[in-house]
Amino acid sequence: MMAVRPAASEDDVQAVRRWVRLSCTEPGTHLPALTEIARELRLAVPTVRLALEHLAAEGMVTLHKDYRLYSVGITTPTERAYRVMRTAIHRNYEPGERFMTRYDITTAFHIGTKEAAAAVRQLIAEGLLTGPRGQYVNPYSTEQQRRRIRQLRERASDLRREALELMRTAQQIEQELPAGGDSQPT
């Protein structure tokens, strides 16, 4: 006879999803032990495990089976290099400006040459870098500028939602504190 495996409720999955978003924003960050998450969310450990398995199926977290360990998102060294380089381009370079050499990239971002080369190829394919071997920041077309504005607005909206959630959580914690919470018992 097969045992029926209980499912985490949608509310439980949402609670764990919210906790992951607010607590661990950097891809690749390892989550704390399931017991710690369960204690913080006031859920049973099996419920947290099932919710994390659900989030793993969505790609929000990664389960490292050999270690029974979860981490935020799926990130390879090449993806990490790509993200770091893309952020540097958006923050530090103007369209048409010369970008770093591969040697400069590996030194500045502490990444391997293969990862740097793969990330540069990806940035060329996306149109952020141009020229021989991706040596220049590509001037943005009108459509690229509109896409970037949309991305920034979506990110701002996500950050506003996270900030509101953090403020609600802070208010709940403050309400749970005893009156005169700053005073120490004598």
Side-chain angles (χ1 to χ4, degrees):
M1 176 188 260
M2 286 183 56
V4 176
R5 194 168 173 193
S9 73
E10 187 58 34
D11 289 342
D12 295 336
V13 173
Q14 288 299 331
V16 174
R17 178 182 286 116
R18 192 170 32 255
W19 183 89
V20 169
R21 280 190 184 135
L22 296 175
S23 302
C24 311
T25 56
E26 182 65 30
T29 303
H30 291 300
L31 300 182
L34 294 179
T35 53
E36 188 176 328
I37 299 170
R39 186 176 343 104
E40 208 169 310
L41 293 174
R42 297 183 181 134
L43 295 171
V45 172
T47 303
V48 172
R49 181 178 290 115
L50 291 170
L52 285 171
E53 287 174 4
H54 182 81
L55 296 177
E58 293 177 2
M60 183 174 192
V61 298
T62 303
L63 170 61
H64 305 278
K65 293 187 186 290
D66 294 340
Y67 303 106
R68 298 194 57 81
L69 176 74
Y70 291 89
S71 63
V72 178
I74 301 168
T75 182
T76 65
T78 300
E79 289 171 340
R80 183 178 122 359
Y82 163 78
R83 287 182 181 151
V84 168
M85 290 168 55
R86 189 179 75 193
T87 300
I89 289 169
H90 287 302
R91 289 184 180 168
N92 305 324
Y93 290 87
E94 294 295 321
E97 190 175 347
R98 184 174 171 84
F99 191 59
M100 307 167 117
T101 66
R102 298 236 171 100
Y103 175 78
D104 293 337
I105 292 168
T106 60
T107 305
F109 302 126
H110 308 290
I111 55 178
T113 55
K114 288 181 2 185
E115 290 81 10
V120 166
R121 282 191 301 273
Q122 190 173 352
L123 292 165
I124 290 170
E126 285 183 7
L128 278 176
L129 293 178
T130 189
R133 298 182 307 268
Q135 295 174 329
Y136 296 92
V137 176
N138 198 9
Y140 301 119
S141 69
T142 305
E143 181 54 37
Q144 287 173 319
Q145 290 173 349
R146 285 188 184 118
R147 189 175 333 127
R148 181 71 180 140
I149 289 169
R150 266 194 314 273
Q151 290 171 342
L152 290 172
R153 284 185 178 151
E154 288 172 11
R155 179 72 178 134
S157 178
D158 290 344
L159 289 172
R160 270 190 231 104
R161 277 194 296 275
E162 285 182 33
L164 288 172
E165 185 67 33
L166 285 171
M167 288 190 307
R168 280 189 215 112
T169 303
Q171 287 173 343
Q172 289 172 347
I173 292 170
E174 288 172 353
Q175 290 172 354
E176 292 174 3
L177 290 174
D182 290 341
S183 63
Q184 295 285 331
T186 54

